[in-house]
Amino acid sequence: MSGNQTRLQAIEQITNRAPTLVSTPEPLSKIWAEDVFNLQKMEEALSKNAFKAIKKTVQTGGALDAATADVVAAAMKDWALSKGVKFYSHIFYPMTNITAEKHDGFIVTNSDGGAITEFTGSLLIKGEPDGSSFPNGSLRMTNAARGYTAWDPTSPAYVMHTANGSTLMIPSVFMSWTGEALDKKIPLLRSNSAMNDAAQKVLKLMGETEIATLNSSCGAEQEYFLVDENFANARPDLLLAGRTLFGAAPAKGQQFDDHYFGAIPERVQVFMQEFEDTLYKLGIPAKTHHNEVAPGQFEIAPYYEAANVAADHQQLLMTVMKSTAKKHGFLCLLHEKPFAGINGSGKHVNWSVGNSTQGNLLDPGQTPHDNLNFLLFCGAVIRGVHKYGPLLRAVIASASNDHRLGANEAPPAILSVYLGDQLETVFNDIKEGKLLTSAAGGEMDLGLAQILNFERDPGDRNRTSPFAFTGNRFEFRAVGSSQSVSGPLVAMNTMLADSLNWIAEKLEVALTTSEDQSVAVASVLKELMELHGNAIFGGDGYSEEWHKMAVAERGLKNLPTTADALPAFREKSVVELFESTGVLSPVELESRYEVYAEQYILSIEVEAKLVVDIATTKIYPAAVSYLSELGLTSSSMADLGIDLDNSLAASIAAEANGMVAAVAKLSEAIATKDFADVEAHMHFCADVIRDLMDETRAHADALEALVADELWPLPKYQEMLFIK
Ligand code: ADP
Ligand code: MG
């Protein structure tokens, strides 16, 4: 891909494209998880005892002994070799949103010059990639750059097939020589265990006797755009920044809402079929797909899984989606706002916590007894959103998601929680102490019969909330389409752990002073609601009134940009949250702040440079060519006595000059170097550079409407959005 194809060449290529080839789908039973070394395959390959040991580790996260690791490694290698694999890789997830891998051969040579394969337990367990160039936020100095990957047995290994051969992929954690987390998986695993510890305490106090290990679950809905690669090749901005930095609004956008759930174009269907079959082979349960609101936008949602596995699968899904799209002549855009004025893409992270003995703790269940557990866990989430709202905003902050949050199609940049009418009433009644007074005498049951068989919310009932209860889970809707789900999951699990710890402390006291369990629960929840009920909001999150009220009356924070949001990582309460739960040490947390801030600054600088480049080398020349054409034409026309309207030329000249002036200011801003600190630098990007980019764009987009169509260099919105 070069970015140098012209727009007219792109249109010609697309017009002459070969017809779409439809392959015959294979039955699910044949392809499901065929490329995954899952428990089923281990059971076939291992002795009874070895299988029992590894199964226990997979299901509870407990330690694995070296001897078992050796036999698992041998079986894994045999299975992979039987599939034509020659290389293996510890795959890991650095602090950026990417997936990293380094490939090693199974091969070793012997003294006779022959080649054999080798893969021991220690090779399986530990790898040492030269990962010194991964951002680590000064956690590793280059002179102490050793980083290790270590096998995560709770996420299954799999084989990845590419044109360049097949590789055994081993999901791993990534840490520094001193044991600090350099990745997104370690905090996720730790947050899960902190949540489990706290939940165990609460459930024990509630009189539960058998309590299995609790785990969090995640089902992520992924939105994306597909653009024909020929158009992408003519748009350096799409190729390098993942979004259009220029482009006038099309005559037809999404006004008609005719794309949402409409018929999927055939070429896209064929792509989806191959994409989903690949997911099935990799054991990823793709469940629904449909067109999204914007033209050219689609969604895929796999069935939910344990958070750690879901997070790995989500990363894999994004990789497979991009590579499959490429095979089908599309560029897959995961950017949160590829087209100005057209809906952006999010990733709704559906999240719940549960275990095999109590089930899903965010499901109201069938009995009042379940209701009490449910209310405590739901209350814990409310407290978390209130107390750590800025943290939830910070973990979804990125240069690209800033374009989407707060726009009138995506959740606001203010974190509140939506419960639905029924549940909101219940919590407000608890706050007022109403439910208790209504239950006079006899066994107290909180009078909560109304939330039994809680009405499930089949769809997005309140699309304007960033964080919504949807019947048996919470849906974090403000997450960006290109982001790893790990950050949000870590924040949710950790805030829940903290709230459950708080609840456990209060409940223990309340239970000693009150004979009745439900009275004790109600008193704890009443206090919780008094302190944190302000986070609950069921109205229109897009409205001006809410923006005012949230800040002025509720004391919630509106953090519109990443520059505003990231400093939450440095707040005392957040540092304490992560330290007290053991999820991230202060150094590890600070390193994340540094990495994310740097990423933010880099992405805006790359975009700004692209704006200068495209405006100067593509748009300005087009405007000037057209002006000279108009000049020539008007003089020869004048010879013939025809009076050409020169106001067009004047408008073009004015816009071109305006653009050049804006570009000059932008270039100067990009060259600015002296900043007091990283926060000041972020604000400069957010407040100065982005404004100058917008100013340049405004002139360029005006030119698009004036310059002759055949001279315009960049594919236009209506072409990219509607030609499939
Ligand atoms: P909608 O578009 O209405 O939000 P979808 O059906 O597209 O809903 O996606 C819902 C997602 O939530 C799916 O990934 C689904 O598997 C997941 N999900 C369902 N129940 C739970 C749960 N208890 N915990 C976590 N995720 C869940
Ligand atoms: Mg949803």
Side-chain angles (χ1 to χ4, degrees):
M1 288 196 208
S2 66
N4 272 329
Q5 186 163 337
T6 68
R7 169 169 160 253
L8 296 182
Q9 281 166 346
I11 293 175
E12 194 184 322
Q13 293 272 355
I14 294 167
T15 319
N16 297 327
R17 192 179 46 220
T20 309
L21 287 178
V22 183
S23 57
T24 353
E26 291 177 284
L28 185 59
S29 57
K30 180 165 167 258
I31 60 173
W32 173 250
E34 74 172 26
D35 291 331
V36 189
F37 194 60
N38 56 12
L39 280 176
Q40 200 185 340
K41 299 218 177 59
M42 288 193 220
E43 186 163 24
E44 286 162 19
L46 298 173
S47 71
K48 262 210 168 75
N49 280 340
F51 178 67
K52 232 173 101 183
I54 179 78
K55 186 174 171 187
K56 190 162 168 236
T57 297
V58 170
Q59 293 181 341
T60 65
L64 192 71
D65 62 287
T68 311
D70 267 329
V71 290
V72 172
M76 200 186 272
K77 185 194 78 174
D78 288 345
W79 171 78
L81 292 180
S82 76
K83 298 183 76 71
V85 169
K86 296 189 189 71
F87 286 81
Y88 66 91
S89 169
H90 283 98
I91 186 163
F92 58 100
Y93 312 93
M95 289 186 228
T96 53
N97 287 309
I98 62 157
T99 303
E101 47 191 84
K102 177 198 171 207
H103 298 190
D104 286 295
F106 284 117
I107 189 170
V108 282
T109 52
N110 57 25
S111 53
D112 309 331
I116 53 163
T117 56
E118 183 190 69
F119 193 56
T120 58
S122 55
L123 286 174
L124 165 64
I125 289 173
K126 196 185 84 179
E128 194 181 339
D130 175 29
S132 54
S133 50
F134 289 108
N136 57 70
S138 61
L139 266 183
R140 287 188 304 164
M141 303 298 130
T142 27
N143 59 351
R146 241 174 231 272
Y148 293 106
T149 50
W151 173 40
D152 167 17
T154 61
S155 182
Y158 56 92
V159 166
M160 191 72 173
H161 303 287
T162 66
N164 185 29
S166 306
T167 308
L168 171 68
M169 298 294 200
I170 304 159
S172 304
V173 296
F174 182 43
M175 67 193 115
S176 71
W177 185 70
T178 45
E180 269 122 4
L182 292 173
D183 70 347
K184 289 186 176 271
K185 192 190 257 288
I186 293 175
L188 179 53
L189 295 171
R190 288 182 188 155
S191 72
N192 215 38
S193 104
M195 182 278 295
N196 172 50
D197 292 346
Q200 297 275 343
K201 279 190 248 170
V202 171
L203 291 173
K204 247 181 227 137
L205 286 170
M206 290 301 290
E208 302 283 355
T209 46
E210 208 191 318
I211 313 166
T213 311
L214 285 102
N215 206 341
S216 51
S217 297
C218 162
E221 303 159 54
Q222 172 78 54
E223 295 177 338
Y224 61 99
F225 279 87
L226 292 177
V227 171
D228 191 285
E229 66 179 358
N230 289 290
F231 287 138
N233 286 342
R235 300 254 353 184
D237 49 358
L238 274 189
L239 289 183
L240 298 173
R243 73 171 177 117
T244 54
L245 297 167
F246 297 99
K252 181 181 170 182
Q254 62 190 52
Q255 305 94 323
F256 299 107
D257 267 341
D258 50 0
H259 184 71
Y260 197 38
F261 281 53
I264 297 171
E266 191 194 27
R267 200 174 153 213
V268 175
Q269 279 191 44
V270 175
F271 150 78
M272 280 182 176
Q273 190 187 96
E274 182 174 344
F275 170 40
E276 282 158 10
D277 277 1
T278 309
L279 293 183
Y280 287 145
K281 289 177 190 169
L282 291 166
I284 303 178
K287 179 96 175 134
T288 54
H289 62 223
H290 57 76
N291 282 1
E292 257 305 324
V293 177
Q297 190 187 29
F298 308 92
E299 176 183 301
I300 176 156
Y303 197 68
Y304 69 102
E305 300 178 281
N308 176 38
V309 175
D312 287 2
H313 279 172
Q314 234 292 308
Q315 292 296 112
L316 184 52
L317 178 146
M318 292 194 282
T319 306
V320 172
M321 178 148 62
K322 284 189 215 159
S323 60
T324 312
K326 204 168 166 191
K327 268 172 82 178
H328 289 257
F330 289 119
L331 177 66
C332 169
L333 299 174
L334 294 180
H335 193 287
E336 284 77 5
K337 194 78 177 174
F339 302 98
I342 304 282
N343 269 15
S345 301
K347 176 142 57 196
H348 294 176
V349 175
N350 292 271
W351 165 77
S352 61
V353 299
N355 63 9
S356 55
T357 41
Q358 278 70 37
N360 175 1
L361 272 310
L362 290 173
D363 189 328
Q366 302 294 322
T367 62
H369 174 72
D370 287 333
N371 271 193
L372 289 183
N373 285 343
F374 163 74
L375 288 172
L376 285 172
F377 277 72
C378 190
V381 175
I382 295 170
R383 176 182 179 273
V385 175
H386 184 248
K387 186 151 188 230
Y388 302 109
L391 171 67
L392 290 173
R393 171 66 184 93
V395 296
I396 52 160
S398 72
S400 49
N401 207 20
D402 280 0
H403 291 282
R404 170 177 164 265
L405 294 182
N408 260 5
E409 59 171 277
I414 304 166
L415 259 295
S416 63
V417 55
Y418 169 80
L419 296 179
D421 295 343
Q422 212 176 353
L423 199 54
E424 190 174 328
T425 309
V426 170
F427 271 96
N428 281 332
D429 285 354
I430 291 176
K431 185 177 171 189
E432 320 259 288
K434 268 191 205 153
L435 293 165
L436 278 175
T437 51
S438 68
E443 200 197 335
M444 290 281 203
D445 67 354
L446 273 178
L448 291 182
Q450 72 269 44
I451 62 163
L452 294 184
N453 297 318
F454 190 82
E455 198 184 311
R456 292 273 148 75
D457 196 356
D460 285 2
R461 266 211 342 222
N462 185 334
R463 285 181 159 270
T464 69
S465 173
F467 205 96
F469 182 69
T470 47
N472 64 350
R473 61 187 186 268
F474 280 90
E475 188 174 349
F476 192 4
R477 295 197 176 116
V479 183
S481 51
S482 67
Q483 293 174 327
S484 156
V485 295
S486 297
L489 289 169
V490 167
M492 293 189 283
N493 285 340
T494 311
M495 74 183 197
L496 183 62
D498 180 67
S499 291
L500 290 172
N501 282 330
W502 181 89
I503 286 176
E505 243 173 62
K506 300 279 171 189
L507 192 58
E508 196 168 3
V509 177
L511 284 170
T512 56
T513 52
S514 154
E515 275 167 41
D516 191 289
Q517 195 186 43
S518 46
V519 176
V521 167
S523 73
V524 172
L525 287 174
K526 184 171 189 301
E527 184 181 349
L528 185 147
M529 279 299 292
E530 280 158 2
L531 293 169
H532 303 290
N534 267 353
I536 300 171
F537 179 63
D540 179 3
Y542 297 166
S543 69
E544 213 28 64
E545 300 87 281
W546 169 238
H547 282 76
K548 285 201 196 104
M549 177 171 109
V551 178
E553 289 168 36
R554 304 281 194 99
L556 303 179
K557 282 198 176 149
N558 186 5
L559 303 168
T561 72
T562 299
D564 303 304
L566 282 185
F569 282 116
R570 291 177 150 179
E571 267 172 33
K572 194 161 161 276
S573 65
V574 171
V575 178
E576 279 169 10
L577 166 74
F578 283 113
E579 195 174 21
S580 66
T581 47
V583 174
L584 289 169
S585 70
V587 188
E588 288 173 324
L589 184 62
E590 175 65 14
S591 73
R592 273 143 188 90
Y593 171 79
E594 285 173 30
V595 170
Y596 302 154
E598 190 186 334
Q599 294 268 304
Y600 174 70
I601 292 166
L602 281 178
S603 4
I604 296 210
E605 283 180 355
V606 165
E607 287 193 346
K609 286 178 187 161
L610 272 168
V611 164
V612 170
D613 185 55
I614 296 171
T616 313
T617 65
K618 287 192 185 287
I619 297 176
Y620 189 71
V624 171
S625 310
Y626 189 44
L627 275 180
S628 65
E629 212 171 84
L630 281 177
L632 289 177
T633 322
S634 73
S635 58
S636 49
M637 292 271 184
D639 288 347
L640 295 171
I642 299 172
D643 192 15
L644 264 191
D645 177 10
N646 271 317
S647 64
L648 175 63
S651 307
I652 293 172
E655 295 295 353
N657 286 336
M659 185 176 78
V660 168
V663 163
K665 284 188 277 177
L666 181 55
S667 302
E668 199 185 321
I670 296 171
T672 310
K673 286 278 172 286
D674 286 328
F675 298 100
D677 53 25
V678 74
E679 206 175 321
H681 196 172
M682 282 199 289
H683 274 292
F684 184 75
C685 291
D687 307 333
V688 178
I689 298 203
R690 269 194 53 188
D691 277 1
L692 289 171
M693 287 166 63
D694 288 346
E695 192 181 324
T696 312
R697 179 180 186 149
H699 293 294
D701 290 357
L703 286 170
E704 186 180 324
L706 298 173
V707 171
D709 187 71
E710 58 168 28
L711 291 178
W712 194 253
L714 301 172
K716 297 185 171 180
Y717 267 30
Q718 67 261 29
E719 294 159 356
M720 291 184 286
L721 290 169
F722 291 103
I723 302 181
K724 285 276 144 2

